[in-house]
Amino acid sequence: MASLGINIDHIATLRQARRTVEPDPVQYALLAELGGADGITAHLREDRRHIQDRDIELLRATLRSRLNLEMAATEEMVSIALRVMPDMVTLVPEQRQEVTTEGGLDVLANLEALRRDVDRLQEGGVPVSLFVDAELPQLEASRRCGARWVELHTGCYAAARGPRQVRELARLSSGCRIAAALGLRVNAGHGLTYRNVEPVAGLPHMEELNIGHTVIARSVAVGLTQAVRELKALIQNPRSDPLFG
C-alpha cells in the first residue's frame, strides 16, 4: 500500500504572492498531518519563489511525519540539506523559467556530478531519491549513482487521455519493476489528481506518492485536513481497473 506525501509548495506560493506572513505553510503542513499525510514535501528552489529557508527549518523542528526536501543538485542546496537533515532529499531538475518541474533528471548525462552529491548527502546521513522518467537508461544510471530511491515522473501519464494514458501507465508499471529489480525503492509524483491517482497507487513496488496542487485546490472547498483524508482513502483502496480514470 502506497503512502502519501503532501507537497505544500502552493501554500507558500499564495503567501509569497503578497509577500506577507500568511498562509504559513508550516501550519498547513500540520493540518495535512492531521488528515493522515505520511510525509510533507517541500521544494526549496534556488530562486526562493515559494518555500523559504525558514520554512524548511521550522518544518524540520515541528513535523511528526517525514520531511522530504526537494532541491536542485547544487553546492548551496547540499549544504542546506546537511545542516537541516531532512528525512529524505529528492534531487530534481530546476529551471528559472519553468512554472513547475518539467520532466525528470538526466542522470545519465550528469552521472559523475550527481554521484558526488549523492555520496556527500548519504554519507552525511540523508537518504537520496532522484526524480526521473521511467526509462531504463535513467533507472540504471540512478542505480550507478548510488541513490536509494527514485521518484518516477508521472506528468506524462497525468496529461494523457484514453489509449495514450494506458500506455503511460504501462510505462510507469515497467519502470517500477525495473527499479525494484535494480534494488531501488520507488516513489512517484507530478500532476496526479483525485481522478487519476488510483491506478498509480496500485502499481507494484510503489511506496509513496508525492502530491501537491490537486489537494491544495481541493482544500479551498473542504479544508486541507479533509482534502488529505479524501486523497489518502483513494490511495489506500485503489480500484483495480486501470482504465476508469
Side-chain angles (χ1 to χ4, degrees):
M1 180 188 301
S3 59
L4 173 60
I6 296 295
N7 187 308
I8 58 168
D9 293 351
H10 293 289
I11 299 294
T13 295
L14 183 57
R15 176 191 62 191
Q16 296 306 114
R18 293 290 295 269
R19 298 193 181 281
T20 182
V21 297
E22 59 181 6
D24 188 334
V26 178
Q27 295 176 356
Y28 278 79
L30 301 180
L31 291 176
E33 287 186 321
L34 286 175
D38 300 293
I40 299 297
T41 296
H43 184 173
L44 184 64
R45 296 183 66 108
E46 291 183 271
D47 61 12
R48 306 306 199 271
R49 67 174 64 170
H50 39 59
I51 295 293
Q52 305 297 304
D53 298 62
R54 162 264 187 204
D55 301 327
I56 297 299
E57 292 166 2
L58 287 177
L59 287 168
R60 175 69 288 175
T62 58
L63 287 181
R64 295 182 178 274
S65 62
R66 300 185 298 271
L67 174 60
N68 174 22
L69 175 59
E70 291 186 344
M71 64 184 212
T74 68
E75 174 62 31
E76 178 196 23
M77 292 299 159
V78 170
S79 296
I80 290 172
L82 289 172
R83 174 172 56 82
V84 175
M85 296 296 291
D87 297 287
M88 174 187 287
V89 156
T90 300
L91 297 179
V92 300
E94 192 173 299
Q95 300 178 44
R96 292 296 175 93
Q97 298 79 15
E98 66 188 2
V99 175
T100 185
T101 304
E102 299 173 355
L105 278 169
D106 190 347
V107 183
L108 190 61
N110 299 281
L111 184 59
E112 291 308 314
L114 284 170
R115 196 202 310 264
R116 287 193 296 272
D117 290 332
V118 170
D119 286 347
R120 186 177 169 198
L121 285 163
Q122 293 189 157
E123 287 170 4
V126 182
V128 176
S129 175
L130 302 179
F131 184 73
V132 296
D133 293 315
E135 300 173 353
L136 177 61
Q138 297 298 341
L139 294 170
E140 289 179 332
S142 298
R143 180 68 184 89
R144 295 201 302 274
C145 197
R148 299 177 189 173
W149 272 267
V150 288
E151 180 171 334
L152 299 183
H153 173 233
T154 54
C156 295
Y157 160 79
R161 297 294 181 270
R164 183 174 164 231
Q165 187 178 56
V166 176
R167 291 194 296 272
E168 290 295 337
L169 182 64
R171 187 163 73 97
L172 289 171
S173 180
S174 175
C176 287
R177 290 193 297 270
I178 292 168
L182 290 168
L184 294 164
R185 299 174 69 175
V186 185
N187 298 336
H190 198 77
L192 296 175
T193 70
Y194 291 85
R195 292 178 57 84
N196 64 27
V197 70
E198 292 173 82
V200 180
L203 291 176
H205 309 293
M206 185 61 66
E207 292 198 25
E208 182 161 282
L209 301 179
N210 288 305
I211 301 175
H213 185 267
T214 194
V215 73
I216 302 305
R218 175 67 175 155
S219 74
V220 175
V222 302
L224 186 56
T225 299
Q226 179 62 23
V228 172
R229 286 194 185 112
E230 293 172 359
L231 186 57
K232 188 165 182 179
L234 294 174
I235 291 171
Q236 289 184 325
N237 301 285
R239 288 171 284 181
S240 59
D241 181 3
L243 301 178
F244 69 82

